[in-house]
Amino acid sequence: MEQFTPKLVGARVKRREDRRLLTGQGAYTDDHRPSGLLYAAFLRSPYAHARIVRLDPAAARSLAGVATVMTGEELARLVKPVRAGSNMRDYKTTSWPPLAVGKVRHVGEAVAVVVAESRYLAEDALEQIDVDYEPLPTVADAQAASEPQAALLHEEVGTNVLLTRQFAQGEVDAAIAGAEVRVRERFRFHRHAAICMENRGCLAEYHAGTGALTLRSATQCPGLLRDVLADLLDLPEHCVRVVAADVGGGFGAKSSLYPEELTLCAITRLLARPVKWISDRREDLLTSTQAWDEVVEAELALRADGTIVGLRAEVTTDIGAYSIYPWTATVEPVQTISFLPGPYRVPHYRGRTRGVATCKAPLGPYRGVGRPITTFVMEGLMDRAARRLGMDPVELRLRNYIREEEFPYKTPSGIVWDQASLTACMHKAREALDYEATRQWQRQAREEGRWVGIGFATYIELTGVGSAIPVSPGMPISTGTEAAFIRVDPSGTVTAAFSVAPQGQGHETALAQVVADALGVSFQDVRVICGDTAVAPHGTGTYASRSAVLAGGAAILAGRALREKTLQIAGHLLETNPADLDIQDGRIFVRGKLERGIPFREIARAAYGGLRRLPKDMEPGLEVTRFYDPYYGTASSATHVAVVEVDRETYEVKIHRYVVVEDCGRIINPLIVEGQVRGGVAQGIGAALYEEVVYDEEGQLLTGTLMDYLVPTAAELIPIEVHHLETPSPTTLGGFRGMGEGGTIGAPAAIANAVSDALSPLGIEITELPITPERLFRLMRGTNELS
Amino acid sequence: MKPSPFIYHDPTSIEEALALLQHYSGDAKVLAGGQSLMPLLNFRLSAPTALVDINRIAALSYIQQEAGQLRIGALTRQRTLEFSALVREHLPLLYEATTLVGHLPIRTRGTIGGSLAHADPAAEYPAVATVMEAELVVQGPKSQRILRPEEFFLGYLTTALASDEVLVEVRFPIPPPTSGWAFVEFARRHGDFALVGIAALLDAEGEQCRRARLATAGVGPTPVRLRAAEQILEHEGLTEQSIEAAAVRAAELVEPQSDLHASTDFRRHLTQVLTRRALRQAKARSQERQG
């Protein structure tokens, strides 16, 4: 890439937002209290599937302090229902009214809303709403939902199977039939919840005088919300502003449009008073999009020398009650078959998937989307194959990775990997671990009767996705571009605004590093504003490991454009050819003659200060907007290694070591990358050992508190060793690759493989996550190891 | 998650508190540290007419050594117990159990009396009170009564406290200096309620065991004294075989329930494992103290 000579990019710059966030100076949605504020509370269904026979809000309406009570029918007159469409062939679009109309489809679905002078009063009023439900048969899981006699959730489409899809390449059945070694397994990845420090919440404010609607929301996608709200509320889009200022975690669960956002917007328009709703933890666990919940039956075939010849898989995904906007119910099931072959050369492949509606909270994207399970499945099969072949699992992997000379590599599902450091990551991981010594330690520990194991997982991840491959294939919206708006103020300070919207990722620091380098000014002089559609150019938000690539790329384009104009103005003022000038640290100078220069702020002043100081015909001002589309996107990769021990008596899994070697291309800020890796691994450890959303047969959520839905805390974690390779992406501006999700992708597989390795003397293999002591206890009962 | 409306009182004397409880005759709740009650109120699982907040009653917070006992005021914070030199010296079992109670913010607010009166069978203090044969001092409007743990804990979240009574003090007999102790529990995460907890207290000399005390947390509607297991140790001494026999017996004595986190069978299995671990540790500590 021409003339991108990074200085700040690559530096361990401390996150500038942390002073604010860690000292209680952050301004989250709930911190905003406009005058005249009203508070909303939602009446939520206690039934998983029921007809609403009667709903009488009269008593609630008459309570003092209640501004309004609204039912689903009433709200339906004010907003269009959400329909998450897709042009994917075998996908059935269904409706999702923001408040239930006619029937409810999962426990926790909102059936009415109370808006009152306080949240306390609003909740008191909820108890006065009289609802008669006629229970319908519960559709408890994907298996039950696909039976021909199953009750239908969405009568309009006549089936609970909302999508089917297949990717195929080669002659998989023949290849597998003729293979020397076959390993086959049924893997179960349970339902998972994204637990954010900040629950969901929003504040809608309609200004009757201007007709402007402002929604503050704990969302990852302010730009995306603005587009859809204007449509569903039938408002001119220039009257809609969405702000996501400080947001405390998202992990995908804050990337979709939610019924509460739509409801509040409709009500504030009606009342012309601001209305706030802050989810409590119970509501968050009941209604935020959940993740995974898949069964994968997969078979891998290899030659006797360990070369993979074929892979086939059948995936069933429990997508819950509704198809979420904009990602649709396809996002998890389709990515699963899309990415299953992972980092390996798989000549013959077939993946089939179906997404089935059930009476559970809607499924949505969650850190890693599809890839935590595909990595668990594929890496689990690789270890089984290694055991069967008597090969070292590392050797088997090295034999099958896509080779360096094969990039760009097109996968069976049509994804193009630009380049990834698969073999190099594994070599470095083996070295960082001291693999031989660790195996030696394992042999000794085994002789002492201990159950210790080593597990590997390598993944390749599509990040920074451009317009060639939508984040969710078939989706009607574009997620392939982002933009940067950069304005140099007359004093020489720089304001850069982006539509990406961080929830803790450190964009204010990382993007300032990129802008400062691209423009040639100092880091301190750059302020980054994210997540406000009134300030930023059009974009969608922060999700899918895209911000470093897309917003970073846009920042480089915009920064370069301003740099060029700056040099032209400087050339004019210094009476020098702009080509002979350079900018560094906020000063423009003649190359080779450092003393002959001019401060950047002089250029800024000149840009706004009248034509005489500008070259003839130059437009005044120093600001620019640039869009960036990385087209295909770029691959990130990593190898994770877990060393674990299973307690022989309590079946507790203890992690002794955790090593990550990752390549996310050119690193903008190693501190941020390492923080992301560690946070992602922590969530992956949660998936491997602790976290599971449980519904009972009646569709009641049993994990409705954080005493039952177990998230690992600092006490459960160990120091995670992170090593970097830094191979700039050949296809993206700046060479950046996305890396926000990776930790969560590798960890479940690495830990599962380590536990299987630890228990291999007993013949126990892990097929189901999380690996709880109870599950291991039951597995042990199948052996004679119970004391 | 906001509570239903309630009337709030914050008396400064125990007499005043008792009068209020009498006034509401069963429709008031005592608020101490609030670590269990507040969630119940916010979930609207409990909606009393009034709350009687006893946090301003300074006379309920103390740790005193008297008549071979440590007497602990019901409002004494768990965090205070954790840092009390008296507790550490005389009631190391209570100290060890305290470090396992929830997390620092919980222990900072939570009180010993609140935990006992809430009577969650998976909590640490009911098991400690049971194994130590503590005396629970209950004050009513007219009189005071002293209950043994077996009399106090009646069932899941249920005690012998009448609606106009307050638990005001817990009296722990100070064990002989050569006794050994252990509080061992297995929880999914640090600070969680235990799937199973075992409290052990041994008065031993060498492998001779004068008195053995074992109690459980998390494997029944109340803490369970494992008397039949204790007797094995008192009769056969603290050998590896008798410890194993006591552990096996312990698992037979409990009737744990299945829940989301562990089945009956797994809890029974853990009872055996943890009883063995607790007894080994208690024995080692006793021997260490005997020199």
mmCIF file of all heavy atoms in Angstrom, chain A residues 681-704:
data_model
loop_
_atom_site.group_PDB
_atom_site.id
_atom_site.type_symbol
_atom_site.label_atom_id
_atom_site.label_comp_id
_atom_site.label_asym_id
_atom_site.label_seq_id
_atom_site.Cartn_x
_atom_site.Cartn_y
_atom_site.Cartn_z
ATOM 1 N N VAL A 681 -11.570 -15.588 24.723
ATOM 2 C CA VAL A 681 -11.264 -16.902 25.292
ATOM 3 C C VAL A 681 -12.097 -17.112 26.556
ATOM 4 O O VAL A 681 -12.625 -18.201 26.797
ATOM 5 C CB VAL A 681 -9.750 -17.045 25.580
ATOM 6 C CG1 VAL A 681 -9.477 -18.281 26.432
ATOM 7 C CG2 VAL A 681 -8.976 -17.131 24.270
ATOM 8 N N ALA A 682 -12.248 -16.069 27.358
ATOM 9 C CA ALA A 682 -13.059 -16.203 28.581
ATOM 10 C C ALA A 682 -14.474 -16.632 28.214
ATOM 11 O O ALA A 682 -15.058 -17.508 28.861
ATOM 12 C CB ALA A 682 -13.079 -14.881 29.347
ATOM 13 N N GLN A 683 -15.021 -16.034 27.163
ATOM 14 C CA GLN A 683 -16.366 -16.429 26.754
ATOM 15 C C GLN A 683 -16.376 -17.837 26.179
ATOM 16 O O GLN A 683 -17.332 -18.582 26.360
ATOM 17 C CB GLN A 683 -16.940 -15.421 25.760
ATOM 18 C CG GLN A 683 -17.373 -14.149 26.483
ATOM 19 C CD GLN A 683 -18.006 -13.124 25.570
ATOM 20 O OE1 GLN A 683 -17.414 -12.761 24.556
ATOM 21 N NE2 GLN A 683 -19.177 -12.654 25.912
ATOM 22 N N GLY A 684 -15.287 -18.202 25.519
ATOM 23 C CA GLY A 684 -15.189 -19.566 24.999
ATOM 24 C C GLY A 684 -15.075 -20.582 26.134
ATOM 25 O O GLY A 684 -15.627 -21.685 26.052
ATOM 26 N N ILE A 685 -14.369 -20.203 27.188
ATOM 27 C CA ILE A 685 -14.289 -21.074 28.365
ATOM 28 C C ILE A 685 -15.680 -21.204 28.978
ATOM 29 O O ILE A 685 -16.087 -22.282 29.418
ATOM 30 C CB ILE A 685 -13.255 -20.513 29.378
ATOM 31 C CG1 ILE A 685 -11.844 -20.682 28.816
ATOM 32 C CG2 ILE A 685 -13.394 -21.192 30.738
ATOM 33 C CD1 ILE A 685 -10.748 -20.000 29.621
ATOM 34 N N GLY A 686 -16.414 -20.094 28.970
ATOM 35 C CA GLY A 686 -17.804 -20.158 29.437
ATOM 36 C C GLY A 686 -18.601 -21.179 28.641
ATOM 37 O O GLY A 686 -19.318 -22.012 29.198
ATOM 38 N N ALA A 687 -18.442 -21.141 27.334
ATOM 39 C CA ALA A 687 -19.169 -22.091 26.479
ATOM 40 C C ALA A 687 -18.716 -23.514 26.731
ATOM 41 O O ALA A 687 -19.508 -24.448 26.694
ATOM 42 C CB ALA A 687 -18.958 -21.732 25.011
ATOM 43 N N ALA A 688 -17.429 -23.690 27.003
ATOM 44 C CA ALA A 688 -16.883 -25.033 27.161
ATOM 45 C C ALA A 688 -17.273 -25.653 28.494
ATOM 46 O O ALA A 688 -17.526 -26.851 28.569
ATOM 47 C CB ALA A 688 -15.362 -24.990 27.039
ATOM 48 N N LEU A 689 -17.324 -24.829 29.536
ATOM 49 C CA LEU A 689 -17.429 -25.414 30.878
ATOM 50 C C LEU A 689 -18.635 -24.947 31.691
ATOM 51 O O LEU A 689 -19.018 -25.610 32.653
ATOM 52 C CB LEU A 689 -16.158 -25.104 31.677
ATOM 53 C CG LEU A 689 -14.842 -25.630 31.094
ATOM 54 C CD1 LEU A 689 -13.668 -25.202 31.968
ATOM 55 C CD2 LEU A 689 -14.872 -27.149 30.946
ATOM 56 N N TYR A 690 -19.223 -23.812 31.387
ATOM 57 C CA TYR A 690 -20.194 -23.241 32.316
ATOM 58 C C TYR A 690 -21.557 -22.897 31.721
ATOM 59 O O TYR A 690 -22.585 -23.210 32.299
ATOM 60 C CB TYR A 690 -19.625 -21.954 32.941
ATOM 61 C CG TYR A 690 -18.380 -22.188 33.749
ATOM 62 C CD1 TYR A 690 -17.120 -21.939 33.209
ATOM 63 C CD2 TYR A 690 -18.467 -22.684 35.046
ATOM 64 C CE1 TYR A 690 -15.971 -22.170 33.955
ATOM 65 C CE2 TYR A 690 -17.321 -22.911 35.798
ATOM 66 C CZ TYR A 690 -16.075 -22.650 35.246
ATOM 67 O OH TYR A 690 -14.954 -22.887 35.981
ATOM 68 N N GLU A 691 -21.583 -22.200 30.613
ATOM 69 C CA GLU A 691 -22.804 -21.501 30.209
ATOM 70 C C GLU A 691 -23.750 -22.386 29.406
ATOM 71 O O GLU A 691 -23.356 -22.993 28.426
ATOM 72 C CB GLU A 691 -22.435 -20.267 29.381
ATOM 73 C CG GLU A 691 -21.584 -19.279 30.152
ATOM 74 C CD GLU A 691 -21.229 -18.054 29.328
ATOM 75 O OE1 GLU A 691 -22.134 -17.499 28.675
ATOM 76 O OE2 GLU A 691 -20.060 -17.664 29.333
ATOM 77 N N GLU A 692 -25.003 -22.406 29.820
ATOM 78 C CA GLU A 692 -26.013 -23.151 29.082
ATOM 79 C C GLU A 692 -27.385 -22.576 29.402
ATOM 80 O O GLU A 692 -27.782 -22.510 30.565
ATOM 81 C CB GLU A 692 -25.954 -24.634 29.480
ATOM 82 C CG GLU A 692 -26.994 -25.481 28.769
ATOM 83 C CD GLU A 692 -26.904 -26.965 29.132
ATOM 84 O OE1 GLU A 692 -25.982 -27.350 29.875
ATOM 85 O OE2 GLU A 692 -27.782 -27.711 28.696
ATOM 86 N N VAL A 693 -28.087 -22.168 28.364
ATOM 87 C CA VAL A 693 -29.473 -21.730 28.536
ATOM 88 C C VAL A 693 -30.337 -22.986 28.559
ATOM 89 O O VAL A 693 -30.252 -23.811 27.650
ATOM 90 C CB VAL A 693 -29.910 -20.819 27.373
ATOM 91 C CG1 VAL A 693 -31.390 -20.481 27.486
ATOM 92 C CG2 VAL A 693 -29.062 -19.552 27.344
ATOM 93 N N VAL A 694 -31.155 -23.127 29.596
ATOM 94 C CA VAL A 694 -31.985 -24.327 29.710
ATOM 95 C C VAL A 694 -33.456 -23.941 29.741
ATOM 96 O O VAL A 694 -33.883 -23.113 30.557
ATOM 97 C CB VAL A 694 -31.638 -25.132 30.984
ATOM 98 C CG1 VAL A 694 -32.467 -26.408 31.044
ATOM 99 C CG2 VAL A 694 -30.154 -25.459 31.031
ATOM 100 N N TYR A 695 -34.215 -24.523 28.834
ATOM 101 C CA TYR A 695 -35.674 -24.431 28.856
ATOM 102 C C TYR A 695 -36.217 -25.802 29.237
ATOM 103 O O TYR A 695 -35.647 -26.822 28.853
ATOM 104 C CB TYR A 695 -36.210 -24.072 27.471
ATOM 105 C CG TYR A 695 -36.040 -22.633 27.066
ATOM 106 C CD1 TYR A 695 -34.892 -22.202 26.426
ATOM 107 C CD2 TYR A 695 -37.056 -21.701 27.314
ATOM 108 C CE1 TYR A 695 -34.740 -20.876 26.042
ATOM 109 C CE2 TYR A 695 -36.915 -20.377 26.922
ATOM 110 C CZ TYR A 695 -35.751 -19.967 26.288
ATOM 111 O OH TYR A 695 -35.606 -18.658 25.909
ATOM 112 N N ASP A 696 -37.341 -25.821 29.942
ATOM 113 C CA ASP A 696 -37.936 -27.115 30.234
ATOM 114 C C ASP A 696 -38.935 -27.492 29.136
ATOM 115 O O ASP A 696 -39.097 -26.776 28.142
ATOM 116 C CB ASP A 696 -38.556 -27.157 31.638
ATOM 117 C CG ASP A 696 -39.811 -26.297 31.766
ATOM 118 O OD1 ASP A 696 -40.334 -25.810 30.721
ATOM 119 O OD2 ASP A 696 -40.284 -26.120 32.893
ATOM 120 N N GLU A 697 -39.591 -28.621 29.327
ATOM 121 C CA GLU A 697 -40.516 -29.139 28.312
ATOM 122 C C GLU A 697 -41.669 -28.184 28.027
ATOM 123 O O GLU A 697 -42.275 -28.210 26.960
ATOM 124 C CB GLU A 697 -41.074 -30.489 28.782
ATOM 125 C CG GLU A 697 -40.095 -31.633 28.657
ATOM 126 C CD GLU A 697 -39.702 -31.867 27.210
ATOM 127 O OE1 GLU A 697 -40.591 -32.202 26.409
ATOM 128 O OE2 GLU A 697 -38.512 -31.681 26.865
ATOM 129 N N GLU A 698 -41.996 -27.355 29.012
ATOM 130 C CA GLU A 698 -43.087 -26.391 28.833
ATOM 131 C C GLU A 698 -42.586 -25.073 28.253
ATOM 132 O O GLU A 698 -43.347 -24.106 28.185
ATOM 133 C CB GLU A 698 -43.775 -26.119 30.179
ATOM 134 C CG GLU A 698 -44.357 -27.366 30.842
ATOM 135 C CD GLU A 698 -45.362 -28.066 29.940
ATOM 136 O OE1 GLU A 698 -46.185 -27.371 29.309
ATOM 137 O OE2 GLU A 698 -45.288 -29.298 29.839
ATOM 138 N N GLY A 699 -41.323 -25.043 27.901
ATOM 139 C CA GLY A 699 -40.781 -23.809 27.338
ATOM 140 C C GLY A 699 -40.492 -22.740 28.372
ATOM 141 O O GLY A 699 -40.313 -21.576 28.030
ATOM 142 N N GLN A 700 -40.432 -23.155 29.640
ATOM 143 C CA GLN A 700 -40.080 -22.193 30.685
ATOM 144 C C GLN A 700 -38.559 -22.097 30.769
ATOM 145 O O GLN A 700 -37.857 -23.116 30.752
ATOM 146 C CB GLN A 700 -40.647 -22.631 32.045
ATOM 147 C CG GLN A 700 -42.166 -22.641 32.115
ATOM 148 C CD GLN A 700 -42.771 -21.242 32.030
ATOM 149 O OE1 GLN A 700 -42.146 -20.250 32.402
ATOM 150 N NE2 GLN A 700 -43.990 -21.162 31.511
ATOM 151 N N LEU A 701 -38.076 -20.886 30.910
ATOM 152 C CA LEU A 701 -36.628 -20.678 31.015
ATOM 153 C C LEU A 701 -36.189 -21.001 32.442
ATOM 154 O O LEU A 701 -36.646 -20.370 33.396
ATOM 155 C CB LEU A 701 -36.288 -19.227 30.672
ATOM 156 C CG LEU A 701 -34.810 -18.864 30.748
ATOM 157 C CD1 LEU A 701 -34.012 -19.590 29.671
ATOM 158 C CD2 LEU A 701 -34.626 -17.360 30.612
ATOM 159 N N LEU A 702 -35.313 -21.974 32.579
ATOM 160 C CA LEU A 702 -34.837 -22.351 33.920
ATOM 161 C C LEU A 702 -33.603 -21.555 34.328
ATOM 162 O O LEU A 702 -33.240 -21.515 35.490
ATOM 163 C CB LEU A 702 -34.517 -23.854 33.973
ATOM 164 C CG LEU A 702 -35.676 -24.792 33.627
ATOM 165 C CD1 LEU A 702 -35.249 -26.242 33.807
ATOM 166 C CD2 LEU A 702 -36.901 -24.484 34.481
ATOM 167 N N THR A 703 -32.957 -20.947 33.352
ATOM 168 C CA THR A 703 -31.750 -20.174 33.656
ATOM 169 C C THR A 703 -32.072 -18.690 33.557
ATOM 170 O O THR A 703 -31.492 -17.962 32.757
ATOM 171 C CB THR A 703 -30.618 -20.545 32.683
ATOM 172 O OG1 THR A 703 -31.171 -20.571 31.351
ATOM 173 C CG2 THR A 703 -30.048 -21.911 32.996
ATOM 174 N N GLY A 704 -32.999 -18.268 34.418
ATOM 175 C CA GLY A 704 -33.477 -16.893 34.335
ATOM 176 C C GLY A 704 -32.757 -15.918 35.247
ATOM 177 O O GLY A 704 -33.145 -14.759 35.345
#
